Amino acid sequence: MSKIQNPIIPGMAPDPSILRVGEDYYIATSTFHWQPAIQIFHSRDLANWKLLTYALSAGEIDLQGTNTPAGIWAPHLSYDKQTGKYWLAFCHLQNMAGREFNAESYIMSADQITGPWTKPTYLTSIGFDPSLFHDEDGKHYVAVLEWETREGYQAPGHIVIAEVDLPGGQVGEWHRVTTGFTTRGCVEAPQLYKHDGYYYLLLASGGTGYAHGVEIGRAKEIFGPYEPNPTGEPIITSAPHHLFSLGDPDAGHFEMYNPHSRIQKSGHGSLVETPAGRWYIAHLMSRPLPGQKLNPLGRETSLQEMRWNQAGWLEMVDGSNLAKAEVDVPGTVKQDQQASDIDDHFAADHYDHRFMTPYHGQSRDWVAVQDGHLLISGRNSLFSQVAPSIMATRATSLHYDLQTKVTFHPDHYSETAGVGLYYDANNWFYVRLCQSDDERVTVLRVLQAKQGTRKDYYWDEVVVPNDQAELRIHYDNGQAQVYYRFASAGSWQQLGGRYDLAYLSDEGVNGEPGEIGGFTGLFNFIGAVDAYQHRSVGEFAYYSVHNRD
């Protein structure tokens, strides 16, 4: 056995659905308003995970205009042994206003995990977080949260199960099976497993904040009745103290913050068995800034070893329910601590497939590689939820340096190109080359958005000779410093002072008191804006992110 550190997938990688086929492990995670959508990671040792592919990469779902944190939620991976097909279930959350939570759930299949995937087939709009279960008798079932909108009824609703026809997607009669197995409430993300003659139903509970957890019940028949885990508590959580919050629609539960744990918000898990018969749950977690309850990196993927006790209930191997920052995995394994670093010089007309774009897809009409440079054509402002020209990668550390070299020739004050940090259209930090206000020269300035408010640091303007600059952002626990140089061998100079960017976090954006404003995560980006004629182009010689953990 080898000890590894959580998270196993750092940065925005929430709602992990883990699957093993043979010797290969796969995890699918949510991507919300980001394209390509549905990240699928691969590992052979449970410790080292690499982004393998995206399931939605050809415009199958329109995410333009998506509000944070709607979009693509909780993909569920499964494998049908009888047909040898991989299956993905996911939901497209389209509206969250008025707590209506309008969602459409879909399924699709593939003969290989890398695709091609079939066109998404519509399942239902009853709620969100669908999953598929392939029973031994050849029948298939879908489990999902039925979203409750009636006054005076327990929110967020019932977990429901129905038989489903595959591949057609026709859903049979829905059976309401539970509103939860503990008093934490806010159950969602149902997942079915079969073990020793029982159907086990794994649920996320307590909301996706500091009270989050994984809970479990079981039944002899798939439609129940389901008996709750006799402990009456989650089997995994970062906050083991008892909580009664039935009916709470999904508050952040900041009172459940655990001051003795490095990892918080542990919940929403899925179960996998190794070839040797060991059991693990992959689940989401967060790492707050020191001394704060802000989580810039969003929800990340973690791993816990489990066991079946003598009574046939699933529990952590140490008998507790407290999620651990360290876990044992089989074999002699070394975790690659630099795996999340990026150093892309755009060689061979190619850019790193970890680049993602908010709200819309990547296409050659605005981004392309040419002669070792990434060319980004400016379009909407960064406030846009339609077509911002952003190429971004997930922030995976609370200590890192982001660096690029950009050449840009603006001929209008609405044209810019540069580098920055991004949460969503209302919250970002942008170091850009642009025209001076008198339209005479190219300058370097910082532009910032905080909860939709725009701030231009025009007092810290620097003239850029030859329209070219190397830019570096030094990020450390929510604080950022900006550096620049105009010659590759020159010394770095600081632009402005220290910028407080701690608000670029799940709790720092768009939310109301006691609520989490988002649950996506911080991204680093290079990009361009052209609100003039859509004809200016930023030329980027490289893009690097070096984590300093």
Side-chain angles (χ1 to χ4, degrees):
M1 301 292 286
S2 301
K3 289 190 180 299
I4 63 169
Q5 297 293 318
N6 282 317
I8 55 171
I9 305 177
M12 190 196 77
D15 311 325
S17 174
I18 192 169
L19 173 70
R20 179 181 64 84
V21 178
E23 300 293 324
D24 295 287
Y25 297 93
Y26 306 102
I27 287 179
T29 72
S30 298
T31 45
F32 308 104
H33 57 281
W34 291 90
Q35 298 267 35
I38 305 183
Q39 303 171 111
I40 299 179
F41 297 87
H42 171 254
S43 176
R44 299 274 295 195
D45 58 15
L46 290 175
N48 296 289
W49 295 83
K50 290 186 176 181
L51 179 64
L52 179 66
T53 188
Y54 301 92
L56 299 173
S57 58
E60 298 92 342
I61 300 292
D62 183 5
L63 297 178
Q64 291 181 301
T66 299
N67 290 326
T68 306
I72 305 300
W73 282 19
H76 178 265
L77 266 179
S78 61
Y79 182 74
D80 183 3
K81 294 180 181 178
Q82 296 192 18
T83 62
K85 287 187 178 295
Y86 294 87
W87 285 90
L88 254 175
F90 68 94
C91 74
H92 178 196
L93 213 299
Q94 299 169 323
N95 168 67
M96 300 175 70
R99 296 201 65 81
E100 287 289 344
F101 278 53
N102 301 125
E104 293 182 350
S105 291
Y106 297 87
I107 55 172
M108 53 189 187
S109 65
D111 295 324
Q112 304 292 331
I113 192 70
T114 52
W117 293 89
T118 59
K119 182 180 178 181
T121 297
Y122 173 78
L123 272 184
T124 181
S125 297
I126 197 171
F128 55 82
D129 292 357
S131 68
L132 290 178
F133 175 71
H134 312 282
D135 212 343
E136 299 162 345
D137 60 3
K139 292 183 178 180
H140 311 277
Y141 300 88
V142 57
V144 70
L145 168 67
E146 178 187 26
W147 186 253
E148 182 63 77
T149 59
R150 297 171 294 180
E151 294 291 336
Y153 288 76
Q154 184 176 326
H158 283 83
I159 299 300
V160 294
I161 301 173
E163 189 173 352
V164 61
D165 170 66
L166 296 183
Q170 289 82 17
V171 177
E173 179 185 357
W174 289 109
H175 297 256
R176 292 172 176 163
V177 298
T178 187
T179 54
F181 302 125
T182 75
T183 64
R184 296 215 172 187
C186 200
V187 293
E188 54 193 10
Q191 299 185 40
L192 285 161
Y193 302 89
K194 199 170 187 179
H195 181 72
D196 284 351
Y198 280 96
Y199 293 95
Y200 287 86
L201 184 58
L202 210 62
L203 305 177
S205 67
T208 197
Y210 287 98
H212 209 21
V214 178
E215 58 182 56
I216 195 168
R218 71 182 182 185
K220 282 293 187 178
E221 304 294 332
I222 195 163
F223 296 130
Y226 281 82
E227 60 173 314
N229 179 11
T231 68
E233 298 292 344
I235 60 172
I236 296 176
T237 182
S238 293
H241 290 291
H242 181 73
L243 174 67
F244 185 93
S245 60
L246 295 180
D248 192 321
D250 193 357
H253 281 298
F254 293 94
E255 80 280 6
M256 296 297 285
Y257 170 83
N258 183 351
H260 302 299
S261 179
R262 185 175 69 84
I263 65 176
Q264 303 285 334
K265 302 185 181 180
S266 296
H268 194 131
S270 60
L271 183 64
V272 70
E273 183 183 11
T274 72
R278 304 185 81 95
W279 293 86
Y280 290 86
I281 283 182
H283 64 89
L284 65 80
M285 54 152 279
S286 288
R287 291 178 287 169
L289 293 170
Q292 302 185 60
K293 296 177 183 177
L294 300 173
N295 294 267
L297 304 181
R299 300 170 304 158
E300 309 171 283
T301 290
S302 185
L303 191 72
Q304 306 294 334
E305 187 175 5
M306 310 299 290
R307 70 185 181 195
W308 297 95
N309 65 24
Q310 291 184 345
W313 288 100
L314 191 66
E315 63 184 12
M316 295 180 67
V317 290
D318 66 352
S320 80
N321 65 351
L322 176 64
K324 308 299 190 301
E326 191 174 71
V327 62
D328 289 329
V329 296
T332 303
V333 177
K334 183 178 181 181
Q335 224 170 351
D336 183 0
Q337 299 297 330
Q338 278 17 110
S340 296
D341 286 3
I342 300 176
D343 187 20
D344 193 353
H345 288 257
F346 312 119
D349 292 335
H350 179 267
Y351 57 79
D352 195 299
H353 74 155
R354 287 172 286 184
F355 276 112
M356 302 173 76
T357 297
Y359 308 113
H360 67 116
Q362 298 164 6
S363 59
R364 290 189 63 86
D365 63 334
W366 71 270
V367 59
V369 178
Q370 181 177 309
D371 298 327
H373 288 75
L374 188 69
L375 307 184
I376 300 179
S377 299
R379 294 197 290 179
N380 293 173
S381 80
L382 301 191
F383 283 104
S384 171
Q385 292 176 273
V386 177
S389 294
I390 289 175
M391 294 289 283
T393 61
R394 297 175 298 116
T396 56
S397 169
L398 295 173
H399 316 274
Y400 63 86
D401 289 302
L402 165 65
Q403 190 170 312
T404 191
K405 182 178 181 180
V406 58
T407 302
F408 186 63
H409 311 290
D411 55 16
H412 190 269
Y413 56 79
S414 294
E415 299 173 344
T416 69
V419 63
L421 279 60
Y422 185 95
Y423 191 93
D424 64 7
N426 287 323
N427 302 276
W428 39 263
F429 179 80
Y430 183 33
V431 183
R432 85 279 197 210
L433 274 64
C434 59
Q435 269 197 348
S436 59
D437 288 347
D438 61 12
E439 303 178 283
R440 294 182 178 180
V441 293
T442 300
V443 297
L444 179 66
R445 285 207 325 228
V446 170
L447 187 66
Q448 183 178 14
K450 184 175 183 180
Q451 296 186 7
T453 299
R454 181 184 190 272
K455 182 176 182 179
D456 192 347
Y457 291 84
Y458 51 83
W459 292 110
D460 297 324
E461 181 178 280
V462 175
V463 175
V464 179
N466 303 316
D467 292 348
Q468 185 180 90
E470 282 190 281
L471 306 175
R472 175 188 293 170
I473 298 177
H474 178 85
Y475 182 90
D476 188 44
N477 280 334
Q479 306 296 307
Q481 294 167 280
V482 176
Y483 298 91
Y484 65 92
R485 65 182 182 185
F486 301 133
S488 296
S491 60
W492 290 95
Q493 304 295 319
Q494 186 169 351
L495 179 69
R498 184 182 295 270
Y499 300 92
D500 184 1
L501 303 184
Y503 75 96
L504 295 175
S505 59
D506 287 352
E507 297 77 12
V509 299
N510 311 326
E512 300 176 358
E515 292 283 345
I516 292 175
F519 38 77
T520 60
L522 178 64
F523 277 68
N524 302 306
F525 77 92
I526 49 178
V529 172
D530 188 335
Y532 177 47
Q533 291 295 135
H534 287 195
R535 65 189 181 195
S536 62
V537 177
E539 301 179 26
F540 296 87
Y542 66 88
Y543 173 90
S544 73
V545 181
H546 176 64
N547 294 322
R548 292 179 282 102
D549 291 323

